Amino acid sequence: ESRITSIGGDSGGRRLLVLENGQQWVQIEPHRGRAPIAGAPITIRRGLLGSYVATVEGRGTLRVMRTR
């Protein structure tokens, strides 16, 4: 659990989430729901087959991969 400090994009056009604990996660599937915003609480948990699922409070879920 953490908070999103900033949101950007990577060279592939995917959404990049930077968390206040220093971790960076990139979105790997199209997002369903409203786009995440900076300052929103986020919870990341393991999904199936080694994937990760991020739940952004009030914004829905998205599949992510850790980059840092």
Side-chain angles (χ1 to χ4, degrees):
E1 293 184 4
S2 189
R3 284 193 180 276
I4 300 171
T5 58
S6 66
I7 300 172
D10 71 358
S11 59
R14 300 176 299 181
R15 187 175 287 136
L16 176 70
L17 306 173
V18 179
L19 309 184
E20 62 184 12
N21 61 10
Q23 295 178 353
Q24 293 183 4
W25 296 81
V26 66
Q27 175 183 340
I28 59 173
E29 280 187 352
H31 176 62
R32 296 184 182 151
R34 297 181 358 204
I37 58 172
I42 186 170
T43 302
I44 299 176
R45 61 179 170 77
R46 273 194 198 274
L48 298 174
L49 303 172
S51 67
Y52 290 89
V53 177
T55 303
V56 181
E57 187 175 291
R59 300 287 172 164
T61 62
L62 56 145
R63 292 207 180 278
V64 294
M65 175 178 66
R66 187 169 178 183
T67 60
R68 184 187 318 171

